[in-house]
Amino acid sequence: MAIARVALDVPVPMTFDYRDGGLGLVSGALVVVPFGRRRQVGVVLELAQQPLVERARLRDVERVLPVEPLPAEALALIQFCSDYYHHPIGQVALSALPTALRRSAFAGVRGEVGYVLTPAAAGLEQRTPARASVMQALLAAMRGGAVLGAAEARRISPRAPGVLREWQEQGWVEERQGEVSSPPATMQPGPPLTDEQRAAVERIGAGFGSFAPVLLDGITGSGKTEVYFHLIAHALARTEQVLLMVPEINLTPQLEARFRSRFPGVRLAAMHSGLAEAGRCQRWLEARSGAAQVVIGTRLSVFTPMPRLGLVIVDEEHDASYKQQDGVRYSARDLAVFLAQQRRIPVVLGSATPSIESYHNARSGRFVHLHLRSRPAASRPDIRVVDVRDVPPQHGLSGAVVDALDARLRRGEQSLVFLNRRGYAPSLTCSACGWSAECSRCSARLVWHLREAALRCHYCGHEEAMPAACPACGNQDLRGLGQGTQRLEQTLAARFPGARVLRIDRDTTRRKHAWRAMREQIVGDGADILVGTQMLAKGHDFPKLTLVAIVNPDNALYSADFRAAERLFQQLMQVAGRAGRADRAGEVLLQTRFPAHPVYEALQRQDYSGFADALLAERKSAGFPPFVYQAVLRAESVSPSSVTTFLEAAARVGAGHADGVTLYDPVPAAVERVAGHFRAQLLVQAPGRAALQRFLRAWLPLLAEGKPARVRWAIDVDPLDL
DNA sequence: AGCACGCCGACT
DNA sequence: GTCGGCGTGCTC
């Protein structure tokens, strides 16, 4: 009898063998197996003749989940991810599944009603006015005899069930049980392509059907999305599926709406964070069956099985959210490239500010490098540096910024004041004894939140009441040092009494739908000055916004991280791109005490290529990635000494295998203590991927031996932050 | 990860 | 005498 080699969600780097149990298993099947005294869902990775343990220890597979097995390509991706990131295969396999499928009680999704057009509906599409967009989309969704599922119909519009019921009464639509199917895809006309866009579409289009990695390097507003849409149309015409990945921010719903209006009727599975588990599972199954023609999602969607995948797009490929920061620390962007190579299809990495890694790949010819330099939507913003060395800003705002804000207010235009720091003041100190508020569980200062009258730790979430007096000396004069968005909001409200100031950060958008309401307020002209963090920087189009003031970017320049400059540039370029997207020219003011810093000079010229070239030269001479390959062994424990003991032992053991690989001394993490746990890390560096992988394969299995109790450790391959 | 087993400290 | 702390080891 066949032996099923099953991956289970346990933190050990192995599989478990089971007897087939007469179920006729195939590889990729999702199965329920007895495990210890529990039952677990597992993935059959392969079938074997001989078990790896004595036959007497084998147990039977209990049942097969009522879903199609994972295709071989999906298993290969899981295997690669497990091997490359050195994470237990079972945990990779199971985390790639929607949680509903990880439950042993999963009973299958009940078949939904499908709708098809009857012969009596002939000509209905022509008779329906173009402005009846819901009806048009529903008709497009049933074109060519396609069976439209009830769930997808509801995604097209909440009004869909009513329309379909009415058409059923008219005899134009009838219900159809069984599989849903996809309509032939048609794209609604969009804005005319520029020469650059057309050239990009043609160049990438020529690569369909073969592995063709492309870096689409296009400034904000240059119309990358339009290029994506044309490529998607191209793939759909070939009846292929498309995976479109986006960073982990709430942009998916907007993109979904835009997509649906351009591709009416096309089956779209959008995986956004707010999705209920049943919805996520249903969309996953639609992708698996091939019914979903396009999948839009964040990093996890790279694992969505798509049998006819023909194109992968990674939008804003430089975005750090593509790297998972716990568990399996994979880079969805890098896995997307692997996926494309495996499936022999094109992969498009799009960004206005590519990651240095991708830029290097493009420069060295591994990726095709395509540029979109013109900006059809508007002229480029004018970026100016405001030197604040001689005239210190009043409450964080320089005269130039105040004047510029004033001018926008008088013209009825919007402004954005960007400060990447939440709260009222980043620290609270005593004017008499110098005491400052620190978190009891972390090596970090507590941030003063004025409205809540609280001190908050931004690392562990700890919160305490704002003290009335200094706990050390009793002095009542406690002062907030530095600027947070709350304080800036207050300053702006005081300085511009008639202006409507709106603060947008994690604190004001915590409530569900709060962010959507704020966005509507901004677009609907309900705000004059926006104060915000990072959240505001990405992808949002605010047509009335003509001024961006960046008030304190200098902090990042003090960072020890060699990626700090790259990230700062990317972030500032990103915020700057918010200014003047419509018909009005934008202006960007940047307050700094280092006006001649290369980051700011390149930013003013809006010359990312020149900046990236300089960074690459620097990285090359200093021996940093992408010219070397890194992995970090991170460890943490409540006991600082056991962390050190563990890492020192690891370094000693590693030295024996370090063939061309450099092992650095263990160092404390940037924030040494978080929630009472001490963290430290050990950097491993190698001249090539292969050497690094060889070392990790030999080294990591040795770490369990002699590990002090209660030390948790993890390996991070290609780390983004050290 | 869970969950058992097992070996030492303070309680009805 | 046993309840319970968490170190150790196993799960096909």
Side-chain angles (χ1 to χ4, degrees), chain A residues 2 4 48 112 146 201 207 236 291 339 378 427 438 530 541 563 588 602 664:
Chain A
E112 54 167 355
V201 170
L236 295 180
L339 183 64
S427 86
E438 278 174 22
L530 318 178
D541 198 354
R563 267 183 248 267
V588 179
Y664 290 84

Side-chain angles (χ1 to χ4, degrees), chain A residues 141-183:
Chain A
M142 292 181 286
R143 252 185 227 153
V147 183
L148 172 65
E152 173 73 5
R154 256 174 283 128
R155 280 177 227 151
I156 290 173
S157 166
R159 300 201 338 258
V163 175
L164 287 166
R165 201 174 315 119
E166 201 188 309
W167 285 351
Q168 246 176 301
E169 281 160 22
Q170 299 284 339
W172 296 333
V173 158
E174 60 186 25
E175 291 185 1
R176 172 79 54 87
Q177 298 299 323
E179 288 281 285
V180 298
S181 57
S182 320

Side-chain angles (χ1 to χ4, degrees), chain A residues 431-487:
Chain A
S431 62
C433 73
W435 168 88
S436 79
E438 278 174 22
C439 179
S440 54
R441 310 170 64 213
C442 307
S443 39
R445 294 236 171 95
L446 291 172
V447 177
W448 178 13
H449 286 247
L450 184 73
R451 198 175 304 170
E452 300 83 349
L455 298 174
R456 271 195 201 150
C457 175
H458 286 188
Y459 290 91
C460 72
H462 167 80
E463 184 169 324
E464 55 190 69
M466 165 81 185
C470 173
C473 73
N475 169 31
Q476 298 204 346
D477 182 27
L478 296 176
R479 292 178 187 177
L481 243 53
Q483 292 273 338
T485 44
Q486 269 191 355
R487 188 176 221 167

Side-chain angles (χ1 to χ4, degrees), chain A residues 152 300 329 406 467 470 483 492 535 686:
Chain A
E152 173 73 5
L300 190 58
R329 304 171 96 100
D406 199 42
C470 173
Q483 292 273 338
L492 287 163
M535 281 196 74

Side-chain angles (χ1 to χ4, degrees), chain A residues 485-559:
Chain A
T485 44
Q486 269 191 355
R487 188 176 221 167
L488 198 54
E489 176 191 23
Q490 196 184 60
T491 305
L492 287 163
R495 180 65 188 71
F496 301 104
R500 295 160 300 172
V501 179
L502 187 64
R503 173 162 61 94
I504 296 117
D505 56 29
R506 198 134 54 85
D507 296 315
T508 62
T509 54
R510 210 186 298 270
R511 278 193 357 267
K512 207 172 180 178
H513 307 308
W515 177 216
R516 204 210 308 168
M518 284 186 165
R519 201 173 56 234
E520 277 159 16
Q521 190 179 344
I522 298 166
V523 176
D525 208 13
D528 300 309
I529 301 176
L530 318 178
V531 181
T533 56
Q534 180 85 25
M535 281 196 74
L536 270 179
K538 295 181 182 183
H540 303 286
D541 198 354
F542 302 128
K544 293 198 170 65
L545 189 68
T546 61
L547 172 71
V548 169
I550 301 165
V551 294
N552 187 13
D554 290 344
N555 281 327
L557 299 176
Y558 307 125
S559 168

Side-chain angles (χ1 to χ4, degrees), chain A residues 245-247 299 314-316 319-324 330-332:
Chain A
M245 296 209 287
V246 293
R299 61 172 179 267
V314 185
D315 191 28
E316 306 293 351
D319 197 282
S321 73
Y322 285 119
K323 184 84 162 56
Q324 172 108 41
Y330 65 94
S331 157

Side-chain angles (χ1 to χ4, degrees), chain A residues 242-434:
Chain A
V242 178
L243 172 62
L244 170 54
M245 296 209 287
V246 293
E248 197 167 61
I249 31 169
N250 312 320
L251 286 174
T252 319
Q254 277 163 277
L255 190 58
E256 175 174 1
R258 207 170 150 190
F259 181 90
R260 286 195 188 278
S261 74
R262 278 302 282 288
F263 291 90
V266 166
R267 306 284 189 261
L268 169 68
M271 312 273 199
H272 51 270
S273 52
L275 217 55
E277 195 38 52
R280 177 170 295 275
C281 182
Q282 181 166 44
R283 285 162 168 83
W284 190 91
L285 292 169
E286 287 168 4
R288 168 67 189 96
S289 73
Q293 292 159 287
V294 174
V295 170
I296 298 180
T298 52
R299 61 172 179 267
L300 190 58
S301 60
V302 76
F303 292 106
T304 314
M306 298 170 73
R308 296 193 319 278
L309 186 65
L311 170 68
V312 184
I313 300 169
V314 185
D315 191 28
E316 306 293 351
E317 66 86 26
H318 65 278
D319 197 282
S321 73
Y322 285 119
K323 184 84 162 56
Q324 172 108 41
Q325 292 296 2
D326 50 55
V328 211
R329 304 171 96 100
Y330 65 94
S331 157
R333 181 241 291 151
D334 294 351
L335 287 183
V337 175
F338 172 85
L339 183 64
Q341 191 160 23
Q342 172 200 49
R343 308 288 283 264
R344 298 196 188 83
I345 57 173
V347 55
V348 178
L349 308 183
S351 177
T353 51
S355 64
I356 290 297
E357 285 76 11
S358 297
Y359 188 81
H360 178 58
N361 282 331
R363 271 291 153 114
S364 63
R366 261 177 52 82
F367 294 175
V368 172
H369 198 171
L370 298 179
H371 296 273
L372 298 178
R373 291 191 176 87
S374 58
R375 188 172 171 175
S379 59
R380 288 181 172 218
D382 178 29
I383 302 182
R384 273 199 303 136
V385 161
V386 178
D387 184 348
V388 292
R389 278 174 301 183
D390 298 332
V391 192
Q394 294 277 300
H395 305 289
L397 298 173
S398 63
V401 165
V402 170
D403 291 347
L405 287 169
D406 199 42
R408 300 309 126 147
L409 282 172
R410 276 187 275 114
R411 293 208 294 265
E413 296 172 359
Q414 276 175 344
S415 308
L416 159 61
V417 184
F418 177 78
L419 177 65
N420 211 10
R421 190 159 246 180
R422 299 185 287 130
Y424 182 75
S427 86
L428 182 74
T429 67
C430 169
S431 62
C433 73

